[in-house]
Amino acid sequence: MATTNSPRWSPLGPPGLWLAASAVLAMLSNGCRPSSVQVDPALAALVPPDALALAGIDLASLRSTPAFSKWLAPSLERLGKENNADLTGQGIQMLAVADGKTVSVFARTRTGVVRLNSKDPLPPPTGGIPPRLRRLLGTIPPHNQIWSAGAGTAALLEQALPGANPLAVLQQVAAGMDSYTAAADFRQGLKLEARATYVSPEALTRVHDGLRGLLTLARMSTPKNRSGLLRLYDGVRVRQDQGVLLVEAEYSTQELDSVFSALPRR
């Protein structure tokens, strides 16, 4: 009796082709939707290898948020005029870079890259963002319009922050800090999250307890008729999670209006 061989799929046949197509689609999908915030390549090329901290503003995304035209655009417009750059209409991204000695601020617009805090020419391209900062940026979700990350920045922050009250507490927050990330999402009001690691559990606990005590004191000393400030303090949560200090805050658009109205305006 003759036997009939059952057809077999070649590795290059339909199943293999389907798997290859799936892999390509997955890569394309990941490429279209980054898993974390991204630094514009033209700005990343200006980051020196000894950079300790970065802070970015995604202007292109920020423009579509309710807070942009009402609260943020005036300051950006003023900064742009001072530097002959259209940040509100043509801006793509801003980036601040700190290396422990200087802070440089750049902006990418549709017409090119400009330096915002100096008349000096742009620095030559470098090797890009240092690996540790890249890893920290990789933990910040992509939907945030404003973000920052730093590693080994304790001395830098302690120097930069004023020692006089009420900002002296910020020096205490920086003391013993090993790394941090911070991010703000303005799509629906404001959602803020900051994470920091410290050189020892004792330093982490000291800062955690100090911040919670400061918030309690701020609430107690705020007059009841300052509802905007009270809401500002009530929206902040400070906690520890597996050796990380977490500071979180969330406000609706209406609450954000009240918070901004309570802050001093320039």
Side-chain angles (χ1 to χ4, degrees):
M1 176 174 158
T3 59
T4 303
N5 291 330
S6 300
R8 295 181 181 178
W9 293 112
S10 157
L12 298 178
L17 182 62
W18 183 86
L19 289 172
S22 298
V24 170
L25 288 174
M27 287 189 293
L28 289 175
S29 175
N30 290 337
C32 293
R33 289 184 290 184
S35 60
S36 63
V37 295
Q38 302 291 304
V39 179
D40 186 279
L43 298 177
L46 303 177
V47 178
D50 58 350
L52 296 175
L54 301 176
I57 302 177
D58 186 349
L59 296 170
S61 175
L62 192 62
R63 271 194 292 272
S64 64
T65 66
F68 181 78
S69 59
K70 192 167 188 180
W71 299 109
L72 305 175
S75 296
L76 288 171
E77 185 175 4
R78 183 167 54 248
L79 178 62
K81 286 181 177 178
E82 292 171 356
N83 293 275
N84 195 29
D86 181 7
L87 299 179
T88 54
Q90 301 289 318
I92 296 174
Q93 191 176 81
M94 291 172 56
L95 184 70
V97 183
D99 62 6
K101 302 179 288 292
T102 60
V103 176
S104 301
V105 184
F106 308 101
R108 169 76 189 279
T109 72
R110 293 192 181 101
T111 58
V113 176
V114 295
R115 187 195 287 266
L116 295 179
N117 65 333
S118 170
K119 301 302 181 184
D120 293 339
L122 294 175
T126 67
I129 299 171
R132 191 178 183 194
L133 286 180
R134 278 204 312 270
R135 288 193 293 271
L136 289 170
L137 292 176
T139 67
I140 303 176
H143 55 257
N144 293 285
Q145 298 85 39
I146 300 177
W147 45 262
S148 182
T153 53
L156 170 67
L157 292 174
E158 287 182 72
Q159 277 187 339
L161 294 170
N165 289 326
L167 295 179
V169 67
L170 297 180
Q171 283 193 329
Q172 298 302 313
V173 171
M177 183 185 292
D178 180 55
S179 68
Y180 78 90
T181 61
D185 177 13
F186 286 91
R187 288 176 300 172
Q188 297 177 350
L190 170 62
K191 187 173 183 180
L192 174 70
E193 181 178 281
R195 294 170 170 262
T197 60
Y198 286 81
V199 295
S200 68
E202 294 76 17
L204 171 60
T205 299
R206 171 181 53 78
V207 174
H208 170 269
D209 294 348
L211 284 177
R212 290 179 63 90
L214 178 68
L215 283 171
T216 300
L217 180 62
R219 291 187 188 101
M220 294 175 59
S221 60
T222 300
K224 292 184 178 180
N225 62 348
R226 301 295 300 277
S227 59
L229 276 179
L230 285 171
R231 179 66 193 97
L232 174 66
Y233 300 139
D234 289 340
V236 179
R237 300 177 299 279
V238 179
R239 59 189 178 92
Q240 296 184 59
D241 182 23
Q242 298 182 353
V244 177
L245 175 70
L246 290 171
V247 180
E248 301 162 308
E250 189 166 357
Y251 308 98
S252 68
T253 301
Q254 293 75 21
E255 290 168 336
L256 189 61
D257 287 345
S258 177
V259 167
F260 271 119
S261 298
L263 298 176
R265 307 277 304 272
R266 181 176 168 182

